[in-house]
Amino acid sequence: MNPLFKKPVYVSKPLLPPLKDYFNRLQSIWDSEWLTNNGEQHQEFEKRLADYLEVPYVSLFSNGTTALTVAYKSLHLTGEVITTPFTFPATPYSLSWIGLKPVFCDIDLKTMNIDANRIESLITKETSAILGVHVFGVPCEVKKIESIAKKYNLKVIYDAAHAFGVKVNGKPIGSFGDISMMSLHATKLFHTAEGGALLFKSEESKKRADLIKNFGIETEDLVSEVGINGKMSELQAALGLTVLEQVKGELKRRETLTKVYRNLLRGIKGIEFIEEIEGVQLNHQYFPIRINEKVFGRSRDYVYSKLRENNVYARRYFYPLCSNFPFYKKSDSSRSELKAAETVSEQTLILPLYGELTEKDIDMICNIIIREKNGAN
Ligand code: T4K
């Protein structure tokens, strides 16, 4: 069979700025002979990112996973942390690596985020925090989570890996909770190849995270705590500064392409997707759809394999569910019922979305899907 697409179409493609712009910054790095450890590019990038994201303080990291771990350390978390199983493995792993226990809470079927109404029943005397994930850039129920945290004196951390530039009622996503983490991996709307950032409200929190990510070294004479190497290099920071120039255009293009997807798939029975949400400025990081086999006539996995036959590499984020990883499944982490998360994990498919796609590409991708429904009837 001849695939419909001659070249592979992946779920995402890194936003690549003009190479000459990056070269100019590389030249400055060469001239300075300073490659990492809070150099000029790093300092400029931290300021520019804080401005762009409208948060007071940013700390840059080598990747998002290390950034999360440092966030927990800086908040002195202990014992159990309530989180979602419908996420990338990095979310619970970052807890497990420093001896914290993830406790999985079921999700809301509509937003696919942690179900705030179920959090309270999982709180024990061991609980020290709630870790929400704004999955696919859709914000968690930040107000409800805040009031639960207040009532039980818990910290709130947001894994905002997918939520670069998202706003809720005009407020930047990084302004909620004690600390938010953004992944700056190549597959993200905005990236530094590998990278991550923590966003804070106070300078004191930033200083603490900065200390931990640099081995806990305060001065040449004083090492005050067990730190780690989580630093971002000058090469990554320079790439970030260059990509930042392009991100608004990419966002606009993705918004247009999302509308094309929605128009083509709206009304197809058995397929659901996220429409505009009142008061929320989305970032179109991903275009997830949910396929209900009973109604659509074909399973998510069947559609996934048909897309593959045609060179379209859609992804089953997030499957398998983290709570089903063998080491979590047999542990106390997966102690509650996770029905909604099971359903969503079995139904979700992420379709390709990035600025370089054309309207025609999206039309062809949707045709492969719709053809399967018709074939099934
Ligand atoms: N929390 C959440 C909720 C996350 O989703 C993530 C990461 C994290 C925390 C941790 O953040 P980091 O420590 O990674 O900063 C990818 C990314 O590697 C990962 O960052 C991301 N989430 C996850 C959702 O997606 P994979 O295993 O799917 O990557 P891979 O290599 O299969 O890439 C996906 C597609 O992107 C490929 O099919 C092709 C395309 N691609 C990829 C790369 C790396 C390119 O076109 N160019 C590239 O350079 O995890």
Side-chain angles (χ1 to χ4, degrees):
M1 194 196 107
N2 269 343
L4 217 53
F5 287 89
K6 298 288 164 265
K7 283 189 186 161
V9 178
Y10 295 118
V11 71
S12 61
K13 194 179 213 177
L15 178 56
L16 290 173
L19 199 50
K20 67 170 175 26
D21 295 354
Y22 189 44
F23 269 144
N24 289 341
R25 288 206 172 260
L26 287 180
Q27 188 64 60
S28 320
I29 296 173
W30 257 239
D31 294 344
S32 72
E33 298 176 351
W34 193 272
L35 299 186
T36 185
N37 291 11
N38 202 24
E40 271 177 20
Q41 303 288 325
H42 187 284
Q43 288 174 30
E44 183 184 344
F45 184 36
E46 237 175 37
K47 281 202 193 86
R48 293 268 303 276
L49 198 57
D51 284 350
Y52 188 95
L53 296 173
E54 299 174 49
V55 292
Y57 301 100
V58 165
S59 179
L60 299 169
F61 283 80
S62 48
N63 61 65
T65 309
T66 310
L68 274 176
T69 301
V70 169
Y72 314 144
K73 266 267 189 202
S74 75
L75 292 170
H76 303 285
L77 301 192
T78 55
E80 300 183 347
V81 175
I82 299 172
T83 190
T84 170
F86 187 65
T87 183
F88 195 62
T91 314
Y93 286 0
S94 55
L95 294 167
S96 300
W97 264 84
I98 56 165
L100 295 166
K101 187 198 288 175
V103 172
F104 296 117
C105 175
D106 208 0
I107 63 171
D108 177 84
L109 270 177
K110 231 179 140 73
T111 63
M112 300 184 263
N113 287 326
I114 192 165
D115 183 347
N117 295 323
R118 291 174 185 267
I119 292 175
E120 269 190 274
S121 67
L122 294 170
I123 296 174
T124 68
K125 59 179 187 339
E126 300 296 320
T127 311
S128 62
I130 302 166
L131 169 59
V133 181
H134 305 301
V135 169
F136 309 136
V138 175
C140 292
E141 291 179 279
V142 287
K143 275 253 144 63
K144 265 192 201 166
I145 292 175
E146 191 183 319
S147 70
I148 297 167
K150 247 195 194 136
K151 187 168 159 192
Y152 293 90
N153 194 23
L154 303 175
K155 299 285 185 201
V156 178
I157 301 104
Y158 284 112
D159 175 338
H162 305 170
F164 187 89
V166 169
K167 286 188 180 171
V168 184
N169 296 322
K171 286 183 82 177
I173 197 76
S175 63
F176 302 103
D178 292 282
I179 301 183
S180 293
M181 181 285 289
M182 274 177 193
S183 165
L184 307 181
H185 183 263
T187 52
K188 301 297 182 287
L189 167 72
F190 172 73
H191 72 94
T192 56
E194 287 280 357
L198 290 182
L199 320 179
F200 321 85
K201 295 188 192 82
S202 78
E203 191 176 7
E204 201 191 328
S205 308
K206 172 183 162 48
K207 279 191 172 154
R208 225 184 113 57
D210 282 349
L211 177 72
I212 298 171
K213 82 171 177 197
N214 187 28
F215 310 99
I217 298 174
E218 287 211 26
T219 66
E220 278 186 34
D221 302 308
L222 177 64
V223 180
S224 58
E225 72 177 284
V226 179
I228 198 167
N229 182 357
K231 291 168 282 131
M232 176 180 275
S233 76
E234 287 292 271
L235 284 85
Q236 288 169 285
L239 182 59
L241 281 162
T242 323
V243 177
L244 201 57
E245 303 291 332
Q246 314 284 315
V247 75
K248 279 199 171 131
E250 172 71 12
L251 190 74
K252 265 231 123 358
R253 179 73 190 139
R254 285 181 182 221
E255 195 177 2
T256 303
L257 296 176
T258 297
K259 283 185 187 147
V260 177
Y261 265 132
R262 286 178 182 152
N263 287 338
L264 288 167
L265 295 175
R266 195 176 285 121
I268 308 276
K269 290 202 168 67
I271 292 190
E272 275 178 47
F273 50 83
I274 297 155
E275 292 276 9
E276 292 302 313
I277 308 168
E278 213 192 310
V280 176
Q281 188 180 307
L282 293 170
N283 68 351
H284 312 292
Q285 165 67 60
Y286 292 110
F287 189 76
I289 61 168
R290 274 177 53 200
I291 300 175
N292 181 335
E293 185 179 357
K294 281 200 187 109
V295 183
F296 188 72
R298 296 287 197 198
S299 69
R300 182 272 312 266
D301 287 353
Y302 187 86
V303 174
Y304 164 83
S305 65
K306 285 293 154 188
L307 286 166
R308 278 226 158 169
E309 280 174 17
N310 285 290
N311 248 337
V312 178
Y313 288 73
R315 292 297 290 266
R316 294 171 297 175
Y317 295 141
F318 291 104
Y319 174 87
L321 209 53
C322 294
S323 48
N324 286 335
F325 298 170
F327 38 92
Y328 287 138
K329 197 174 169 65
K330 61 178 189 219
S331 83
D332 189 40
S333 287
S334 302
R335 64 188 180 229
S336 72
E337 253 202 2
L338 301 165
K339 271 198 184 143
E342 295 281 356
T343 304
V344 168
S345 174
E346 277 160 22
Q347 294 185 342
T348 302
L349 192 61
I350 314 297
L351 302 182
L353 182 62
Y354 48 85
E356 271 183 41
L357 281 175
T358 66
E359 280 81 350
K360 176 139 187 287
D361 293 332
I362 293 187
D363 192 52
M364 281 161 67
I365 294 168
C366 290
N367 270 334
I368 300 169
I369 300 170
I370 294 164
R371 196 165 74 189
E372 286 314 315
K373 177 171 178 62
N374 297 338
N377 290 332

